[in-house]
Amino acid sequence: MREKAGKIEGDSNKKGKQGGVCKKFWECGGCEYKQDSYKRQLKEKQKRLEELIGGFCEVHPIVGMENPFHYRNKVHAVVDRDKKGNVITGVYKAGTHMVVPVDSCMIEDEKADEIIVTIRGMLKSFKIKTYDEDTEYGLLRHILIRKGFATGEIMVVLVTASPVFPSKNNFVKALLKVHPEITTIVQNINGRGTSMVLGEKEHILYGKGYIEDRLCGCIFRISSKSFYQVNPVQTEKLYKKAISLAQISEGDRVIDAYCGVGTIGLIASKQAKEVIGVELNRDAVKDAVANAKRNDIKNVRFYQADAGVFLTKMAEDGEKADVVLIDPPRSGSTQEFIDSIFKIEAGRVVYISCNPETLKRDLEYFKKKGYKAEGCWGYDLFPFTSHVETVILMTYCGNKKK
Ligand code: SAH
């Protein structure tokens, strides 16, 4: 998922409801649908799913949002100056490093947009210089806001080019005065000339340094860098479906591959004997371990590893599992990983995908291995963009001699 989104000016709600009349549409490039009605967007996504996945199984009607606006709980703004030297915040114009100034966006959380505008307004009086990518001079590069949908907790991440942040205590005080709803403020240091938003090092300026959110009855800790779905309303529907499709019973050993902060595995653990989570990102694994503790869940273990390498090792060691839940990034899974699913004799595979093209490729390989797709359910997690999320149930139908 791209970090930028279609921004609109003025009264976002009114315009949004009329079908997304966004003045920044052509400059920003975050949204791919403009004046299309929401129903039409869903129809097009459904058609795309049917074309790609219809050959494997039935494609059920895509589940859309009741209110498809302001759903993003993670908002990123680049800090820059315009030609006249005025401080601006906004998004990179698609495919460039030019910043399109924007104040509000029809798909972003409105409070997050408000906070970004407040911070921008404070920079001058606190003499905080904006970072210039060409001269590498200045301090503040990006502002990132994350919000817990169910808890209302808000994290502000100030990405700076150097660790020195003059009068940071007063800055924090002043920001909290305007927005007492902010629960934590983090300074992230990203000094490198890279296109990555976040650097490695962080200092907590206020609060606990992370936020928590509630999803499907569990509490999740989210730090600045960990992956967490950006649309919690739809995510809850998607995860509930995924877990019900897995038909997990008390004696089952479940693998949650590409597990992020452990969301799906921890929710599934309540029905399973044991859950094993595997994830590449070190910070996400730390959060996953903390999440297990936070929810007092004892039958889950998390490993930091490449999912393919990890599962291959499990298969070599003769380990078995009943259910594999898989939720890979846009590039999809690998043949090595799918080969190992077959070897550990998983009877059910629930595949959550954010890219129907790589899903199709992977389904073909699963089919070769004897896995039959039983159905495909689409969930619209990203209204006004062309992204579409799906969940597929597969069961093993080959002969069990492996
Ligand atoms: N299931 C989680 C995260 C899904 S996003 C959730 O719903 O929140 C995909 C995750 O795969 C990311 O956390 C990413 O860090 C991780 N990832 C990417 N490549 C990986 C690999 N080769 N092996 C294991 N995890 C990987």
Side-chain angles (χ1 to χ4, degrees), residues 386-402:
S386 63
H387 295 280
V388 51
E389 195 91 3
T390 49
V391 54
I392 298 250
L393 169 68
M394 284 177 271
T395 53
Y396 183 71
C397 291
N399 70 49
K400 279 270 174 186
K401 273 186 217 148
K402 294 174 183 180

Side-chain angles (χ1 to χ4, degrees), residues 227-229 239 256 258-260 263-264 278-281 305-307 327-329:
F227 177 91
Y228 187 70
Q229 286 288 7
Y239 288 176
D256 177 12
Y258 309 88
C259 68
T263 33
I264 303 170
V278 56
E279 160 65 44
L280 199 56
N281 180 307
D306 170 86
D327 186 10

Side-chain angles (χ1 to χ4, degrees), residues 328-339:
R330 291 185 56 74
S331 50
S333 194
T334 60
Q335 293 198 352
E336 179 193 29
F337 180 85
I338 298 168
D339 282 337

Side-chain angles (χ1 to χ4, degrees), residues 66-286:
E66 228 166 82
N67 171 10
F69 304 103
H70 304 293
Y71 59 85
R72 277 192 71 100
N73 60 0
K74 177 178 164 185
V75 177
H76 162 227
V78 191
V79 183
D80 201 2
R81 280 182 187 272
D82 65 14
K83 282 188 187 127
K84 291 180 193 150
N86 300 314
V87 181
I88 53 169
T89 48
V91 293
Y92 288 121
K93 182 176 173 154
T96 74
H97 265 224
M98 268 169 58
V99 177
V100 180
V102 282
D103 286 359
S104 66
C105 165
M106 67 176 188
I107 64 172
E108 290 175 355
D109 182 85
E110 288 170 296
K111 181 55 78 182
D113 283 343
E114 255 178 53
I115 295 172
I116 290 168
V117 172
T118 301
I119 295 174
R120 187 182 69 211
M122 288 168 57
L123 298 184
K124 199 174 169 194
S125 56
F126 280 87
K127 296 192 175 65
I128 294 171
K129 298 247 176 350
T130 57
Y131 180 75
D132 183 316
E133 283 185 358
D134 298 324
T135 61
E136 297 190 348
Y137 178 74
L139 184 67
L140 189 62
R141 303 185 70 163
H142 306 274
I143 303 164
L144 181 75
I145 315 278
R146 299 189 85 161
K147 187 173 163 194
F149 174 75
T151 59
E153 292 185 16
I154 296 176
M155 167 163 55
V156 173
V157 185
L158 302 165
V159 184
T160 60
S162 90
V164 186
F165 192 142
S167 60
K168 62 182 170 205
N169 292 342
N170 287 336
F171 184 84
V172 165
K173 247 191 226 161
L175 179 57
L176 288 170
K177 202 167 172 205
V178 188
H179 293 289
E181 62 276 17
I182 296 171
T183 53
T184 190
I185 304 175
V186 173
Q187 179 191 2
N188 176 287
I189 296 122
N190 190 359
R192 296 164 298 167
T194 144
S195 56
M196 298 283 284
V197 173
L198 296 174
E200 277 298 311
K201 271 204 170 164
E202 284 191 351
H203 298 305
I204 299 172
L205 303 182
Y206 172 75
K208 54 192 177 189
Y210 59 88
I211 53 163
E212 290 186 325
D213 199 12
R214 265 193 313 274
L215 205 61
C216 300
C218 288
I219 295 175
F220 296 103
R221 160 183 164 156
I222 305 146
S223 54
S224 64
K225 283 175 252 175
S226 9
F227 177 91
Y228 187 70
Q229 286 288 7
V230 297
N231 184 337
V233 172
Q234 292 295 90
T235 301
E236 189 150 71
K237 297 181 197 165
L238 171 79
Y239 288 176
K240 274 189 183 153
K241 184 71 188 176
I243 286 167
S244 83
L245 287 173
Q247 302 154 63
I248 300 165
S249 58
E250 266 173 39
D252 281 346
R253 188 178 209 208
V254 177
I255 292 172
D256 177 12
Y258 309 88
C259 68
V261 299
T263 33
I264 303 170
L266 288 168
I267 298 164
S269 70
K270 294 176 180 170
Q271 298 165 32
K273 180 174 170 229
E274 180 192 4
V275 176
I276 297 164
V278 56
E279 160 65 44
L280 199 56
N281 180 307
R282 210 171 287 276
D283 289 306
V285 175
K286 266 193 210 155

